[in-house]
Amino acid sequence: MLAKQIPAGDPRQKTIERIVKQTFRASEIVNNLLNSRAPGAAEFVEVDLNSVLEETLTLVQAPFPRPRK
């Protein structure tokens, strides 16, 4: 809902898009865990772990500014 309310060009838009993407990703993981109890239900896909970690870190780093040197 928030993503639909933010106007185009708003600097917070990229952060909201990342949050939405990671929310769907988390939902998919939970659904897969719930469905994994059935034999043969596991489905493996190749994932670029570096890009997933970088995207996740951008969500964590935003609220915590880096210390000044």
Side-chain angles (χ1 to χ4, degrees):
M1 289 175 19
L2 181 61
K4 292 178 183 178
Q5 294 175 357
I6 292 183
D10 189 307
R12 299 172 293 179
Q13 190 174 18
K14 280 191 175 186
T15 301
I16 297 298
E17 288 172 4
R18 287 185 192 127
I19 291 170
V20 169
K21 183 177 178 181
Q22 294 303 323
T23 300
F24 280 113
R25 184 174 181 79
S27 175
E28 186 176 312
I29 290 169
V30 170
N31 284 332
N32 287 339
L33 287 171
L34 291 172
N35 293 329
S36 69
R37 297 186 344 160
E43 181 180 325
F44 296 97
V45 293
E46 195 169 313
V47 176
D48 181 2
L49 187 57
N50 287 330
S51 70
V52 171
L53 288 174
E54 285 175 9
E55 220 174 296
T56 304
L57 288 174
T58 61
L59 294 173
V60 176
Q61 290 174 342
F64 304 107
R66 293 185 178 189
R68 295 182 185 178
K69 292 182 180 181

